[in-house]
Amino acid sequence: MGIVSQEAILELQALMDSVEEPLNITFQNVHQGFRAETLVRFLKARDWNVAKAHKMLVDCLHWRVQNTIDDILAKPIVPIELYGAVRDSQLIGMSGYSREGLPVFAIGVGLSTFDKASVHYYVQSHIQINEYRDRVILPSASKKHGRPITTCIKVLDMTGLKLSALSKIKLLTIISTIDDLNYPEKTNTYYIVNAPYIFSACWKVVKPLLQERTRKKIQVLPGCGRDELLKIMDIASLPHFCRKDGSGSSRNSENENCFSLDHPFHQQLYNYIKQQSLITEPAQPIKQGSFHVDLPEPAAEETEIAKSLESELQKFEKGNMLSKSTDGIKIDDD
């Protein structure tokens, strides 16, 4: 790290030293003892501009206080049947760790339907996984390896990506905006696997709109990505959808499917949230209803990407309809 970077960190550190309650309390939940690494994340997200990084971090702390994010890990989604429905339609899980000790999160982009609950439940679940990662998983990994581990790896499964993705763009943009503003630079690398043709068409449109910093993190792997991913993780940590052979998807038990509520990660996460709920409100029954978070306005970049995706998917849909209409036309030879 260069002299300029060190100076930027010290300057931002001095600005954050003057932050008072309740912002400094929620800041502790953000940095988890890794203060310098946290400042670097926000500086990277604002191209090392100290004033902009400071504003971004303070805005993030205000968002946390206003939405009581510090309490979200004590707010289980109940009943369990509803949480199971969220898990079945918002496919995300943790399959293990890379050889460097980074948590590996798997996301079923193509097969997530987001149609079993309200937007607020999906946002709540997403933030809970973020907070559990940052407050439990990463500190534990750091302790185990004796060094700061503050980022993760994400493997995005595009299996089943269809034109119906058009209906999910708004929710995905909300979730992406929450991450960009409040959890910046938490992902070391994005690996995209099982990409159908429709993804390739969309990727050509989206790639030029991404910041260079983000583009460098994204790797589109051939097929299910098994061989490439085994270079950075053991087979036990490989997401289930990357364990395919030539004949198609391998069959997995619910224990191996990291999207499943029965997977150890989700069992540990849900039990942790229930336990925290009992600690904070021991005499109160667990309340039903979603944990409402103010939904952010997407940044200009996010809006442009969403519009470009919608346009490309609509073009793809028109092309499909035209193809189907001409399939039934018989052309007679003279």
Side-chain angles (χ1 to χ4, degrees):
M1 196 175 288
I3 295 172
V4 175
S5 302
Q6 288 290 359
E7 287 176 353
I9 294 167
L10 291 172
E11 194 177 335
L12 183 54
Q13 172 88 52
L15 289 169
M16 293 308 297
D17 284 343
S18 63
V19 169
E20 297 179 350
E21 290 187 16
L23 298 188
N24 63 353
I25 294 173
T26 196
F27 186 38
Q28 290 170 21
N29 267 332
V30 172
H31 67 65
Q32 292 291 318
F34 300 108
R35 193 164 166 147
E37 288 78 9
T38 300
L39 298 180
V40 167
R41 287 196 296 107
F42 281 84
L43 283 163
K44 280 183 179 178
R46 289 296 176 261
D47 297 319
W48 294 90
N49 182 306
V50 175
K52 289 181 179 178
H54 177 246
K55 182 183 185 305
M56 182 187 190
L57 182 45
V58 170
D59 286 348
C60 164
L61 300 182
H62 278 295
W63 171 80
R64 293 181 66 87
V65 170
Q66 288 162 6
N67 291 282
T68 60
I69 299 299
D70 288 349
D71 300 332
I72 201 168
L73 286 181
K75 306 291 181 184
I77 294 175
V78 290
I80 187 68
E81 291 78 15
L82 174 59
Y83 186 66
V86 170
R87 290 279 57 83
D88 288 343
S89 52
Q90 182 184 33
L91 303 180
I92 183 170
M94 185 179 142
S95 60
Y97 294 85
S98 73
R99 292 196 184 96
E100 292 184 348
L102 275 64
V104 177
F105 282 87
I107 302 170
V109 177
L111 294 175
S112 289
T113 55
F114 298 104
D115 60 352
K116 301 284 194 297
S118 72
V119 167
H120 287 284
Y121 280 116
Y122 290 117
V123 171
Q124 175 182 349
S125 173
H126 179 79
I127 294 174
Q128 285 178 329
I129 290 173
N130 279 358
E131 292 289 315
Y132 187 71
R133 173 197 66 197
D134 294 351
R135 293 197 236 167
V136 179
I137 299 289
L138 291 172
S140 175
S142 300
K143 186 176 180 181
K144 179 181 177 180
H145 291 273
R147 59 182 172 79
I149 293 178
T150 57
T151 59
C152 67
I153 287 168
K154 289 183 179 175
V155 185
L156 280 57
D157 180 23
M158 296 294 165
T159 299
L161 189 67
K162 297 174 184 173
L163 294 171
S164 55
L166 201 58
S167 62
K168 306 178 215 168
I169 287 176
K170 186 176 180 182
L171 175 55
L172 292 173
T173 302
I174 289 169
I175 287 173
S176 175
T177 303
I178 287 171
D179 283 355
D180 288 348
L181 295 177
N182 304 292
Y183 303 93
E185 301 295 317
K186 292 300 294 187
T187 303
N188 186 284
T189 313
Y190 297 89
Y191 294 100
I192 294 172
V193 302
N194 299 319
Y197 175 73
I198 190 172
F199 167 79
S200 304
C202 292
W203 179 235
K204 285 176 186 174
V205 172
V206 170
K207 189 176 180 181
L209 301 176
L210 297 173
Q211 294 181 22
E212 184 183 1
R213 168 180 90 251
T214 305
R215 278 201 306 271
K216 286 180 177 177
K217 292 181 179 183
I218 299 172
Q219 295 188 32
V220 182
L221 303 182
C224 67
R226 175 189 170 105
D227 294 342
E228 290 298 314
L229 291 172
L230 285 176
K231 294 175 183 176
I232 62 164
M233 67 184 75
D234 295 332
I235 195 161
S237 292
L238 202 65
H240 60 282
F241 52 78
C242 296
R243 302 182 186 191
K244 296 178 181 178
D245 55 29
S247 60
S249 180
S250 58
R251 300 185 72 83
N252 299 282
S253 70
E254 290 300 288
N255 243 17
E256 291 174 318
N257 180 345
C258 62
F259 298 152
S260 168
L261 181 56
D262 294 325
H263 188 271
F265 168 74
H266 283 298
Q267 287 292 305
Q268 290 160 15
L269 168 63
Y270 196 68
N271 288 334
Y272 179 89
I273 294 172
K274 284 198 296 184
Q275 287 166 5
Q276 292 301 306
S277 174
L278 293 173
I279 291 168
T280 55
E281 295 181 342
Q284 301 294 323
I286 296 174
K287 295 177 182 176
Q288 295 191 25
S290 63
F291 183 97
H292 279 238
V293 172
D294 294 336
L295 304 180
E297 284 296 319
E301 182 190 4
E302 300 279 356
T303 304
E304 189 177 358
I305 288 171
K307 284 181 178 176
S308 299
L309 273 174
E310 284 178 6
S311 174
E312 192 62 27
L313 286 167
Q314 283 165 356
K315 274 194 257 177
F316 201 85
E317 187 171 27
K318 285 176 185 174
N320 265 14
M321 288 171 67
L322 185 62
S323 174
K324 285 177 183 176
S325 66
T326 55
D327 280 348
I329 298 174
K330 183 179 178 182
I331 301 175
D332 293 326
D333 293 328
D334 288 336

